[in-house]
Amino acid sequence: MKFEGTYVAMVTPFDKDQNIDEEGFRSNINYLIDQGVDGLVGAGTTGESATLTHDEHQKVIEILVDEVDGRVQTVAGTGSNSTSEAISLTKFSADAGVDAALLITPYYNKPQQHALVNHYSTVAGACDIPIIAYNVPSRTGSDIAVETAVELAKIEGVDALKEASGSVDKVSDIYRALCREGLEDDLDILSGEDSLTLPLMAVGATGVISASANIDAKRMVLMVNSVLNDDYTRAFELHYEMLDVIRALFIESNPVPVKTAMNLMGLPSGPLRQPLCEMLDDDLEILKKALKESDLI
């Protein structure tokens, strides 16, 4: 399966009683599709998956598939630090009808590089659905090495890598290594760092899984499409238009600022779940200033 363009790592909106706001989630889905996104990710890190119960996790995925109804690609977050649990979530998502699964590297366990290959190979072998491996060492404690990414490209069913190590050099090295082995068409690279999407695409990435697109999807879509169409002049303009907002959205742990921004914009979001909590006042003022200067509030 080809992964290209703008995918949104959606927040999970909650009501005042901390229940999933189904109506709000459906509204956000339609809002983002209207903005021209290529795919939507439910129950990922931005969706506070770590605090969702198994039933809630499944509910988010079912709502996503139902409301999208084939209009864009759907991706379910199904990663776990237990391979068997990742298989269970991925199988459920495949049965629910999602187009692909996003699997974060097992966290806390710190598996060895060959263990990471075994993990993804085991899940792919057990589940008939395209898999996006997700590398975010700042949250998991393990980093997919360049050589490991090449091995992932050889696994049937592992079709993409969301790369959030924060290094343009890393993506350059992965793409070059894939090309040297003729595997560049077997593993799409997606940016997992919104502020680096433009430079990462310049060195081989095909798109982004974006948290900031929850609030500024239109510009992210335009920027990504500009790169795909080799219009780097327009892409640069859009990159710098979005940069202050993107930086403000990561001034505290994701998804704290993005949910705060959505509430300020009147988009369904609601409260955070503990252990996350409201932003510090100084950071909130920085976020508000960035949103106002970008005409988002």
Side-chain angles (χ1 to χ4, degrees):
M1 182 174 176
K2 183 69 176 175
F3 294 95
E4 182 178 273
T6 302
Y7 297 76
V8 185
M10 294 188 69
V11 305
T12 302
F14 300 122
D15 63 24
K16 60 182 178 59
D17 297 317
Q18 293 279 345
N19 297 311
I20 292 173
D21 176 5
E22 179 173 343
E23 182 180 346
F25 189 44
R26 290 181 183 274
S27 176
N28 287 341
I29 288 168
N30 289 308
Y31 169 75
L32 292 169
I33 291 175
D34 288 344
Q35 298 300 303
V37 304
D38 298 285
L40 297 173
V41 181
T45 304
T46 304
E48 295 176 85
S49 56
T51 64
L52 297 177
T53 67
H54 283 283
D55 287 345
E56 288 175 328
H57 199 123
Q58 293 175 355
K59 181 179 180 180
V60 167
I61 293 165
E62 288 173 334
I63 296 170
L64 178 67
V65 173
D66 180 65
E67 192 63 34
V68 169
D69 194 26
R71 291 176 289 169
V72 297
Q73 291 180 7
T74 52
V75 181
T78 65
S80 171
N81 65 337
S82 163
T83 301
S84 61
E85 184 173 293
I87 290 172
S88 177
L89 278 170
T90 305
K91 283 184 173 180
F92 172 86
S93 300
D95 291 341
V98 299
D99 296 303
L102 175 68
L103 276 79
I104 196 168
T105 55
Y107 37 88
Y108 190 78
N109 311 57
K110 294 188 72 173
Q112 318 96 301
Q113 293 298 309
H114 62 279
L116 289 173
V117 175
N118 289 341
H119 170 74
Y120 285 108
S121 179
T122 300
V123 177
C127 305
D128 187 20
I129 186 174
I131 287 172
I132 305 169
Y134 179 14
N135 186 43
V136 56
S138 64
R139 285 185 180 262
T140 64
S142 62
D143 186 10
I144 294 176
V146 173
E147 298 78 12
T148 303
V150 172
E151 293 305 309
L152 295 182
K154 299 174 184 177
I155 299 173
E156 184 70 28
V158 178
D159 292 349
L161 171 65
K162 178 183 178 183
E163 176 53 46
S165 63
S167 170
V168 177
D169 282 350
K170 174 80 173 295
V171 172
S172 297
D173 291 341
I174 291 173
Y175 187 73
R176 180 171 60 180
L178 292 171
C179 290
R180 284 175 172 170
E181 297 206 27
L183 295 170
E184 64 271 21
D185 293 329
D186 295 308
L187 191 75
D188 295 320
I189 303 171
L190 297 169
S191 168
E193 297 272 357
D194 285 1
S195 63
L196 294 182
T197 296
L198 174 57
L200 292 185
M201 290 187 71
V203 297
T206 57
V208 62
I209 296 180
S210 169
S212 68
N214 279 284
I215 67 161
D216 201 4
K218 186 175 182 179
R219 273 187 281 206
M220 184 62 75
V221 168
L222 287 171
M223 188 193 74
V224 169
N225 288 347
S226 294
V227 177
L228 293 173
N229 293 323
D230 293 324
D231 184 357
Y232 278 88
T233 299
R234 183 60 177 141
F236 276 122
E237 292 172 352
L238 291 159
H239 168 79
Y240 285 110
E241 283 180 19
M242 294 187 292
L243 192 56
D244 286 344
V245 169
I246 290 173
R247 286 176 173 166
L249 289 174
F250 292 92
I251 197 170
E252 292 187 17
S253 297
N254 180 52
V256 174
V258 70
K259 292 196 80 172
T260 304
M262 290 176 70
N263 285 324
L264 291 169
M265 293 170 64
L267 295 171
S269 176
L272 296 145
R273 279 190 175 175
Q274 287 185 297
L276 299 179
C277 64
E278 293 75 17
M279 296 181 70
L280 296 171
D281 289 342
D282 288 349
D283 291 341
L284 178 59
E285 290 307 310
I286 292 171
L287 176 63
K288 286 180 177 178
K289 181 174 184 290
L291 293 172
K292 288 177 182 176
E293 290 178 350
S294 292
D295 296 322
L296 292 170
I297 59 172

